Amino acid sequence: MDDSLFQRRVVSAPLKAQGFETFEAVNGKEGLEKILEVKPDLILLDILMPEKNGIEVLKELKKAQNTIPVIMLTSDVQESTRDECLSLGAQAFVNKPVKAEELLPIITSLLQS
C-alpha cells in the first residue's frame, strides 16, 4: 500500500520480474479491504497515506490478529515510529526510495519463515 503511483511501480516491477503476484492499494482503507479480499502472503505498507495511515492499518491488523508478515516502507527514520510499528506487528523496514536489492532478500526471508 502506498499512495504514490510512482512508488507502487518502483516496488511492484522487480517483484513481478521475480514471479510474485502483486496487488496495489492507494490508501490504508483500500488496503485493508484488499487484504481481506485477497489474503496476501505478505504486506508492503507505507506509513504516510491518506484515509488510514500505515500505523492505523497496523492497529487494525493487530486487532484482527493478523499473521501476515508486514514490511514497512518509509522515509520516516524516527526510532519512536519504528518501535511503534514493531509493537503493532511489523516485521521489517525498508527505507524509501526502495531498492529491489534491499527489498527482495527481506521478502524471501519472511516468506520462508
Side-chain angles (χ1 to χ4, degrees):
M1 287 174 244
D2 197 310
D3 57 319
S4 164
L5 175 63
F6 175 75
Q7 279 298 317
R8 290 195 314 271
R9 296 298 182 245
V10 165
V11 171
S12 67
L15 295 176
K16 288 177 181 178
Q18 292 292 316
F20 291 104
E21 183 177 16
T22 65
F23 301 92
E24 298 178 15
V26 298
N27 59 55
K29 182 178 181 287
E30 182 182 308
L32 284 168
E33 292 168 0
K34 192 81 76 171
I35 290 166
L36 291 173
E37 174 190 332
V38 176
K39 298 185 181 27
D41 296 326
L42 184 111
I43 300 166
L44 299 174
L45 179 60
D46 185 18
I47 291 179
L48 300 175
M49 293 183 295
E51 295 198 40
K52 285 190 185 285
N53 66 38
I55 292 174
E56 292 169 324
V57 170
L58 283 173
K59 286 178 181 177
E60 292 213 22
L61 290 172
K62 184 173 185 166
K63 195 184 321 179
Q65 300 179 331
N66 175 60
T67 58
I68 302 167
V70 178
I71 299 172
M72 303 304 295
L73 307 177
T74 184
S75 51
D76 184 343
V77 293
Q78 295 179 28
E79 194 164 327
S80 61
T81 302
R82 286 179 182 263
D83 290 345
E84 183 175 15
C85 290
L86 290 170
S87 74
L88 292 170
Q91 282 84 15
F93 287 83
V94 174
N95 289 324
K96 287 182 172 182
V98 175
K99 296 181 180 110
E101 60 270 14
E102 293 175 14
L103 181 60
L104 289 169
I106 295 170
I107 288 174
T108 302
S109 173
L110 287 173
L111 290 177
Q112 290 175 350
S113 47

